[in-house]
Amino acid sequence: MSSSSLLPLISSFTSLPSTNTHRAIKTQTSQAQGFRVSCNQTPDDHNDKKLILPQAQKLVIPNVDRRNLLVGLGGLYTATNLTSMPSALAAPITAPDITSICKDAGAGVNDKENAVRTLKCCPPSIGKKIKDFVFPTDKKVRMRWPAHAGTKEQVDKYRAAIQAMRDLPDDHPHSFVSQAKIHCAYCNGGYTQVDSGTGFPDIDIQIHNSWLFFPFHRWYLYFYERILGKLIKDPDFALPFWKWDEPAGMPIPEMFVPEKIDGKPNALYDVYRNADHIKDRIVDLDYDGTEKNIPDKQQILCNLSTVYRDLVRNGGDTLSFFGGVYVAGDDPVKNGDPSVGSVEAGSHTAVHRWVGDPNQPNNEDMGNFYSAGYDPAFYIHHSNVDRMWKLWKELSLPGHVDPTETDWLDASYVFYDENEDLVRVYNRDSVSLDKLKYNYIENSKEVFPWRNSRPAKRNKSLQTATTSEVKKVDQIKFPVKLDKILKVSVKRPAVNRSAEEKAKANEVLAIKGIRYDSGKFVKFDVFVNDKLKDGVFTTPCDPEYAGGFAQIPHSGMKNMFMGSSARFGLTELLEDTNTDGDEYATVTLVPRTGCEDLTVGNIEIILVPVAAV
């Protein structure tokens, strides 16, 4: 069952045939009979209300409610069955020719005047035409290795490869600067959706905060790795990965720490890092910009619980793990309301913020998307993020399946490959590591420590009945500002479900319509059924902690508000907090940073059917 099965199919409408190339998609679009309606088939995407007219007219009519529109189309669709229309009626996000259609990328950089990196993030043009991607025919599989446990030979090769990349002229497509600019261009407004669907030249492409997050970064690292190997003439070269899901790998790897090696500059060093977090410090996978000052042993346990939460509890279905649907015409700032995936909002964002330098004007390097690629630590961090996708699938739990919608499969990006050729790649070709000829070194005898890190069941003796009156959702006027702690009572769709019922559907807390100042780092935490007695305090390591919502800056100016949603798995949490029989769940949102103007549009608990593996 695909992720489109997250909603019951009420209509008998049949999906359009899958298309495998950008050209086929464009042809299909141009032959539409007079109109095309862009529909997002997820329960979180209610803001895409634009009627997209034929290619020749290039007209977008805003504020047209699609439900009312389709009711007027001769009764073909009704307001009842619109939500079940497949997203094949939309079109996938398609990167344009990145060397000819690119603009300065300033989104997410509040202080442009003092930015420490360039905002001119367009790649060099060397007169190449875009080719279609062909799977590698390498005889050996590149095996990525844990950065904290690399051999001297692995470390020396890696450092030599990065140095060779740094030695190239900045305008070379393989240079360290050109590779860093890739993230800036795709994440901070360098490209528009001019080639997506019928064309949206005024709407940026943003590969964060949606289901594009995992496949884009997989492709980015795929070419980065092969370029490094080409530079040192090693066809078996493989990247390290920052194994922050294992206690020994949680500090930033030692090879990144010294400024010089044998009197020469260390190619892996970056000056724009948080100096307090570099040497002998355990990474905080739930970092909110403040120091917890807890013993290392406790921080390690909290980190393991975070990884478990990201991959198991909050990643229980396709949408919750990957993030919300994002298709042609969706504006990443003005109109979009996708949900952010569990790993992206969790450990991924925390590490970005933890490494970045808070003393820099835009939290450079890792603390801002436009500059993150200038820190070599970015690539080993994302190598482990990519590994999280692999591990999530290998858990083989119900719901742990890749998206199957055409709009995801045919989304595409353009990169320079190791031969300096421009190549268009598709999500559909990113799902198999075997075909891409790389993998990760794992200890086959090891049970991943996070796999056994489900938060301990709450001792009932520490709990008490809720004494204060908590307003129900329907008693609160939304949207509500999160400038202080918000506590609300939310009715559950079912109580005391059987094991069989729980196997068929996850109980999920959905926080919708989150609007935040996208020019700054924001984070709030979510607790459910915190019934602890006075003097007993809940922490992110406890079973009541559902997770956090965190975002790195995305917008080009202050007070530019972006929309998002967040999903948190409750099935295990309710069991662990002894509240599975409660008709209502008490949800507490705790603002941590950047939430002064953040608002929440709605809070509800839903049952999400899970796909069989």
Side-chain angles (χ1 to χ4, degrees):
M1 183 170 68
S2 74
S3 59
S4 63
S5 298
L6 297 177
L7 288 176
L9 287 176
I10 303 173
S11 170
S12 59
F13 184 87
T14 302
S15 298
L16 294 176
S18 172
T19 54
N20 294 322
T21 66
H22 175 60
R23 178 174 296 178
I25 296 166
K26 295 289 283 186
T27 302
Q28 178 179 323
T29 300
S30 66
Q31 293 175 347
Q33 296 179 2
F35 62 86
R36 182 175 61 82
V37 180
S38 176
C39 299
N40 291 353
Q41 189 195 356
T42 75
D44 289 335
D45 296 331
H46 298 307
N47 291 323
D48 178 12
K49 300 179 179 179
K50 297 181 291 298
L51 168 62
I52 307 169
L53 296 178
Q55 175 79 10
Q57 291 172 284
K58 291 282 188 171
L59 176 64
V60 175
I61 302 176
N63 302 321
V64 176
D65 191 311
R66 292 175 297 166
R67 294 172 181 260
N68 293 334
L69 170 70
L70 293 180
V71 168
L73 298 178
L76 176 61
Y77 299 104
T78 67
T80 301
N81 66 23
L82 174 61
T83 56
S84 65
M85 288 175 60
S87 58
L89 284 180
I93 295 292
T94 301
D97 181 344
I98 60 173
T99 63
S100 61
I101 304 175
C102 184
K103 55 190 174 69
D104 289 358
V109 188
N110 273 342
D111 192 347
K112 294 182 176 63
E113 183 177 348
N114 295 304
V116 302
R117 303 296 187 185
T118 181
L119 300 180
K120 296 185 179 301
C121 297
C122 299
S125 178
I126 55 177
K128 296 289 187 75
K129 292 184 178 180
I130 299 174
K131 297 181 177 180
D132 282 333
F133 173 72
V134 177
F135 284 110
T137 57
D138 304 351
K139 293 182 179 180
K140 292 183 64 176
V141 174
R142 299 169 189 258
M143 297 301 297
R144 295 181 182 176
W145 43 280
H148 71 283
T151 65
K152 183 178 186 303
E153 181 182 7
Q154 286 173 323
V155 172
D156 287 348
K157 278 188 176 181
Y158 176 51
R159 184 175 282 120
I162 296 295
Q163 186 60 60
M165 185 176 275
R166 288 185 181 273
D167 290 341
L168 292 173
D170 287 353
D171 60 356
H172 191 287
H174 290 171
S175 74
F176 185 79
V177 170
S178 289
Q179 291 300 301
K181 287 179 176 181
I182 292 172
H183 202 253
C184 171
Y186 272 102
C187 311
N188 295 80
Y191 306 128
T192 72
Q193 299 176 29
V194 64
D195 280 351
S196 298
T198 54
F200 302 92
D202 297 325
I203 301 180
D204 288 346
I205 289 177
Q206 170 56 255
I207 52 78
H208 290 91
N209 207 35
S210 77
W211 64 359
L212 300 186
F213 172 76
F214 275 110
F216 168 82
H217 286 90
R218 173 165 287 184
W219 282 122
Y220 187 5
L221 265 65
Y222 170 83
F223 290 112
Y224 184 78
E225 180 175 66
R226 299 179 73 85
I227 289 169
L228 288 173
K230 186 76 175 283
L231 289 173
I232 60 171
K233 298 179 174 59
D234 182 357
D236 302 327
F237 176 86
L239 285 170
F241 60 95
W242 183 356
K243 200 176 184 183
W244 34 251
D245 56 302
E246 177 185 284
M250 287 179 183
I252 190 167
E254 180 62 31
M255 59 181 166
F256 288 84
V257 175
E259 186 173 357
K260 292 187 176 182
I261 300 291
D262 297 330
K264 297 180 180 179
N266 177 13
L268 306 181
Y269 179 78
D270 181 48
V271 67
Y272 300 120
R273 293 178 186 151
N274 189 326
D276 293 335
H277 294 166
I278 298 306
K279 185 68 175 174
D280 298 327
R281 292 292 300 273
I282 305 296
V283 67
D284 180 357
L285 295 183
D286 194 64
Y287 188 62
D288 62 9
T290 60
E291 308 304 325
K292 291 186 175 64
N293 295 318
I294 59 177
D296 285 353
K297 184 176 181 180
Q298 185 179 353
Q299 183 63 68
I300 289 171
L301 293 176
C302 287
N303 285 344
L304 294 177
S305 293
T306 295
V307 177
Y308 178 88
R309 203 163 43 240
D310 287 353
L311 268 65
V312 181
R313 178 172 288 181
N314 291 341
D317 61 84
T318 305
L319 179 64
S320 295
F321 181 75
F322 278 88
V325 172
Y326 174 44
V327 296
D330 287 350
D331 192 307
V333 175
K334 296 178 182 178
N335 299 315
D337 189 16
S339 59
V340 60
S342 56
V343 171
E344 183 183 359
S347 48
H348 157 261
T349 296
V351 175
H352 267 279
R353 187 66 174 180
W354 188 83
V355 176
D357 186 353
N359 296 318
Q360 299 308 313
N362 300 289
N363 299 112
E364 289 92 348
D365 275 326
M366 278 278 280
N368 196 295
F369 288 148
Y370 99 97
S371 55
Y374 288 91
D375 189 340
F378 165 83
Y379 303 93
I380 64 164
H381 168 46
H382 268 278
S383 187
N384 203 42
V385 169
D386 178 71
R387 178 171 159 266
M388 292 298 108
W389 180 4
K390 168 183 176 282
L391 297 182
W392 178 79
K393 290 171 66 173
E394 290 179 347
L395 287 172
S396 297
L397 296 173
H400 287 221
V401 294
D402 294 330
T404 58
E405 288 88 346
T406 301
D407 293 332
W408 186 82
L409 295 170
D410 287 340
S412 67
Y413 327 96
V414 178
F415 293 92
Y416 275 110
D417 69 4
E418 66 271 26
N419 300 315
E420 300 177 38
D421 289 329
L422 279 174
V423 177
R424 181 174 295 281
V425 294
Y426 296 85
N427 285 352
R428 65 170 62 252
D429 292 331
S430 71
V431 298
S432 172
L433 297 190
D434 290 341
K435 290 184 177 180
L436 294 176
K437 298 292 186 179
Y438 79 88
N439 214 315
Y440 293 88
I441 294 175
E442 306 286 0
N443 183 349
S444 60
K445 298 180 181 179
E446 173 188 56
V447 175
F448 297 114
W450 54 265
R451 190 66 181 93
N452 297 321
S453 296
R454 175 174 173 172
K457 192 177 182 69
R458 175 59 65 190
N459 188 329
K460 290 184 179 180
S461 66
L462 299 177
Q463 293 178 302
T464 184
T466 303
T467 55
S468 58
E469 183 67 24
V470 179
K471 288 185 177 181
K472 294 181 173 60
V473 167
D474 56 8
Q475 296 175 314
I476 295 179
K477 185 177 180 181
F478 286 98
V480 61
K481 201 171 187 178
L482 197 61
D483 55 352
K484 58 184 177 182
I485 294 176
L486 172 67
K487 185 172 288 191
V488 60
S489 183
V490 186
K491 186 174 177 58
R492 296 173 56 203
V495 299
N496 289 325
R497 293 188 298 145
S498 67
E500 292 76 12
E501 290 171 326
K502 291 178 180 179
K504 293 178 181 178
N506 291 325
E507 191 165 356
V508 173
L509 170 66
I511 302 177
K512 299 183 176 183
I514 303 170
R515 296 287 184 229
Y516 60 95
D517 184 345
S518 52
K520 59 186 178 182
F521 176 63
V522 300
K523 187 177 191 297
F524 66 81
D525 288 337
V526 182
F527 295 87
V528 177
N529 290 340
D530 182 359
K531 297 184 176 183
L532 300 188
K533 294 179 178 179
D534 290 343
V536 182
F537 301 99
T538 308
T539 74
C541 309
D542 293 321
E544 292 84 1
Y545 183 59
F549 174 85
Q551 292 285 324
I552 297 291
H554 282 61
S555 165
M557 61 190 72
K558 293 181 179 179
N559 300 320
M560 175 66 78
F561 286 84
M562 179 174 284
S564 190
S565 297
R567 295 157 64 102
F568 305 94
L570 295 185
T571 303
E572 289 186 353
L573 184 151
L574 295 167
E575 295 173 353
D576 296 342
T577 56
N578 309 301
T579 57
D580 198 22
D582 293 358
E583 181 181 4
Y584 285 82
T586 300
V587 177
T588 305
L589 307 186
V590 181
R592 296 301 187 189
T593 185
C595 297
E596 298 81 9
D597 298 314
L598 185 148
T599 59
V600 172
N602 192 24
I603 302 175
E604 64 179 349
I605 297 175
I606 56 178
L607 290 179
V608 178
V610 295
V613 176

